[in-house]
Amino acid sequence: INVCTQRSTRYVSAISAARGLHKSALDVAERPAPEETVTSSFGRFIQSVQPRHLSPTVLQRSKRMVLDSIGVGLLGSTTDVFELALQHCQHMYAPDDVSFVYGRQGMKLSPTLAAFVNGVAAHSMDFDDTWHPATHPSGAVLPALLAISDMLHNNSKPSGLDFLTAFNVGIEIQGRLMRFSNEAQNIPKRFHPPSVVGTLGSAAACARLLSLDRSQCSNALAIAASLAGAPMANAATQSKPLHIGNASRLGLEAALLASRGLEASPLVLDAVPGVAGFSAFYEDYAPHPISSLEEDEHSFLIETQDIAFKRFPAHLGMHWIADATAVVHKTLVGLKGGSISPNLVQDILLRVPLSKYINRPFPETEHQARHSFQFNACTALLDGEVTVQSFQPEALLRPELHALLSRVRLEHPHDNTANFNIMYGEVEVTLVSGDVLRGRCDTFYGHWRNPLSQESLQKKFRSNAGAVLSNERVERLIEAVEGLDHLDDCKPVLAQLQ
């Protein structure tokens, strides 16, 4: 891999004065700010995190996130929305062969555009990881870090530990910001969270990988806040994946602008009466400074709050209702044998949280189907599971599926809150015979309370990555990511993605 081209040199020189990767300068304490603010405390945290601060649990969980995100990104490179985004970048911008593109051998774009299209790929099928409070943390951060790593000269590639440190900084910043708001605890109604906290997470991760100083890290966050935000109205459309792509791209741009000396509000994360900063996104935002790592008070949120990995490509809420309905499918097959006929079913009642954008009785597109309680329940009732193939056009148009969709009703019990940490899915199927079959799911397999085993996670990765890579490359990627914290540089990962 040779990125020591004139183009990549241009990007490297833009931040060379600000970065000092692999240099002892990272450990030199800065002069304390005259007054600690929330914003400056976040800048201090980003600048001061070192690989030694990552516990074995944090390292293992973040490597699982990296592996899963690469896999869903590679599969996402086969989608129509990814192809549209890629064509846009190729036709509207001058060629700039610096950073790789998922699933396209020999193709490279500028680092920011590569971060954009690879971020789109990661969310193009809604197959990426989900955290609590509700957001998709990896897709906003990983493409930007991979683009920077590809941009840097061969002798300046970050070590695996430096890469994971920057990745965890980006994840941590997202989690800390969302915990300043009770509104953020629930399934969103106004802004799509990755477009908000993901943009700042990407900026933080890139600032850390580029070794920006404390002031530049704070400025990167403030610049990113001016580039953040996308409305929930675009959920279940081809535009929703753009939220992740833009978060990754714009966070990287914010860090690069900060490295050049661009300044922004020093109080963007603080609660200033009469002047909205980050509080513009969350009305009940109540921030406080992030603790110093040297005080031994800080532990990474991923240490105690694990990640949910999806078994099929749909909104996370669909996993509860799909698993509950799969129980009914199994019972019905046991009673009647063979395939499930809609003629057996009189009524389907779903007890789910009240959330308008995932209540779609008759979805017309794959993106709507990925955000439809009704579609996923009926698919699981017919097939016993929901899979990648469930959202193909031929599956969406099945007459037997539409017959079942017309018999679905929803109820929203008061105790079933639209919150991924406490919601449940319940299904009640009444047969024409009068029999009533019930299924319930409180915690699906893949949820942070019941995480995928390493075997299951790798099986998902092999299936996803194998759509565009050879088996040999897939296995090399698994090996490289699993040993990422022991790599002198991240070239073994990049080599398999070129």
Side-chain angles (χ1 to χ4, degrees):
I1 307 165
N2 181 13
V3 295
C4 303
T5 62
Q6 184 177 3
R7 292 190 178 96
S8 64
T9 300
R10 184 170 70 251
Y11 290 101
V12 175
S13 62
I15 48 84
S16 60
R19 71 177 303 277
L21 201 61
H22 310 309
K23 297 187 184 298
S24 60
L26 283 172
D27 298 313
V28 176
E30 290 190 330
R31 180 177 300 173
E35 181 180 350
E36 180 85 320
T37 64
V38 174
T39 307
S40 66
S41 75
F42 272 65
R44 167 180 45 73
F45 170 78
I46 295 167
Q47 186 270 338
S48 62
V49 174
Q50 299 295 321
R52 67 177 183 272
H53 295 126
L54 306 182
S55 71
T57 298
V58 170
L59 285 172
Q60 182 59 23
R61 289 180 173 177
S62 57
K63 286 190 294 184
R64 283 163 57 87
M65 295 166 71
V66 169
L67 185 71
D68 185 70
S69 187
I70 290 175
V72 298
L74 288 167
L75 181 63
S77 71
T78 67
T79 62
D80 291 341
V81 64
F82 174 83
E83 185 62 32
L84 287 171
L86 181 58
Q87 288 180 10
H88 168 74
C89 292
Q90 290 177 296
H91 296 163
M92 296 301 296
Y93 298 92
D96 214 346
D97 303 331
V98 177
S99 300
F100 76 87
V101 174
Y102 279 146
R104 296 295 188 275
Q105 185 174 0
M107 181 180 295
K108 293 200 171 191
L109 299 173
S110 71
T112 54
L113 292 183
F116 170 68
V117 296
N118 290 340
V120 169
H123 197 58
S124 62
M125 300 172 71
D126 222 305
F127 211 178
D128 44 337
D129 57 19
T130 305
W131 209 15
H132 178 71
T135 193
H136 305 287
S138 297
V141 172
L142 184 62
L145 294 180
L146 289 171
I148 293 175
S149 300
D150 215 11
M151 173 187 80
L152 297 173
H153 292 295
N154 267 336
N155 60 358
S156 301
K157 301 292 187 193
S159 71
L161 265 178
D162 283 322
F163 188 94
L164 287 170
T165 300
F167 179 80
N168 277 288
V169 165
I171 302 305
E172 182 76 0
I173 293 302
Q174 295 179 69
R176 293 286 164 177
L177 290 173
M178 298 196 78
R179 279 162 176 74
F180 294 156
S181 165
N182 288 325
E183 175 190 344
Q185 302 289 316
N186 299 327
I187 296 176
K189 297 179 181 179
R190 298 192 306 132
F191 292 99
H192 191 206
S195 73
V196 179
V197 297
T199 309
L200 275 74
S202 172
C206 293
R208 178 60 187 80
L209 196 63
L210 295 170
S211 299
L212 303 193
D213 65 31
R214 176 174 175 173
S215 177
Q216 290 171 324
C217 290
S218 296
N219 282 326
L221 293 177
I223 296 166
S226 283
L227 305 174
M232 285 304 301
N234 270 329
T237 73
Q238 284 189 323
S239 289
K240 189 185 178 208
L242 301 184
H243 300 176
I244 306 288
N246 276 327
S248 188
R249 169 190 184 177
L250 297 174
L252 171 53
E253 289 192 353
L256 292 174
L257 286 167
S259 77
R260 287 181 175 271
L262 186 70
E263 297 178 345
S265 169
L267 297 173
V268 72
L269 300 183
D270 293 77
V272 180
V275 180
F278 192 77
S279 59
F281 301 111
Y282 295 101
E283 295 176 339
D284 63 347
Y285 178 71
H288 54 79
I290 196 166
S291 63
S292 171
L293 288 159
E294 302 310 320
E295 296 171 359
D296 292 328
E297 296 177 0
H298 184 92
S299 63
F300 283 83
L301 295 172
I302 196 68
E303 183 94 43
T304 54
Q305 176 61 67
D306 204 352
I307 295 286
F309 296 110
K310 300 176 180 179
R311 303 193 321 274
F312 59 88
H315 182 277
L316 194 73
M318 304 304 108
H319 289 65
W320 277 273
I321 206 64
D323 279 14
T325 312
V327 173
V328 176
H329 169 90
K330 184 176 180 179
T331 304
L332 192 53
V333 168
L335 289 173
K336 303 296 181 179
S339 60
I340 305 300
S341 169
N343 296 330
L344 298 171
V345 178
Q346 178 176 306
D347 179 74
I348 303 171
L349 174 62
L350 307 181
R351 296 189 178 95
V352 293
L354 178 61
S355 183
K356 187 171 183 178
Y357 82 100
I358 46 180
N359 177 1
R360 299 180 184 273
F362 297 99
E364 298 178 355
T365 68
E366 63 165 297
H367 297 283
Q368 291 178 8
R370 298 182 199 279
H371 296 76
S372 167
F373 279 126
Q374 296 90 334
F375 174 87
N376 286 273
C378 291
T379 297
L381 186 59
L382 281 174
D383 305 328
E385 61 179 347
V386 182
T387 68
V388 171
Q389 288 71 35
S390 299
F391 303 94
Q392 296 299 313
E394 57 272 18
L396 266 66
L397 297 174
R398 290 183 291 174
E400 59 269 33
L401 175 69
H402 286 263
L404 288 177
L405 286 171
S406 66
R407 296 165 200 179
V408 177
R409 297 180 295 119
L410 299 189
E411 285 184 358
H412 308 294
H414 293 300
D415 68 336
N416 200 355
T417 306
N419 180 310
F420 292 145
N421 206 38
I422 57 177
M423 68 171 283
Y424 62 86
E426 204 168 70
V427 60
E428 186 175 286
V429 176
T430 302
L431 305 181
V432 293
S433 64
D435 293 324
V436 178
L437 307 179
R438 296 180 176 87
R440 176 174 171 128
C441 176
D442 294 298
T443 303
F444 64 87
Y445 181 46
H447 190 270
W448 44 80
R449 289 193 300 270
N450 186 21
L452 292 184
S453 67
Q454 193 67 6
E455 181 182 0
S456 293
L457 190 72
Q458 290 183 0
K459 180 179 179 181
K460 174 186 175 182
F461 178 80
R462 288 186 174 98
S463 176
N464 289 343
V468 294
L469 297 182
S470 67
N471 290 338
E472 183 180 9
R473 281 182 178 261
V474 170
E475 296 305 318
R476 285 179 179 173
L477 263 175
I478 292 174
E479 181 181 359
V481 174
E482 181 58 32
L484 190 55
D485 47 327
H486 301 294
L487 295 179
D488 292 333
D489 60 53
C490 59
K491 283 186 283 189
V493 175
L494 298 173
Q496 306 309 317
L497 292 171
Q498 299 302 324

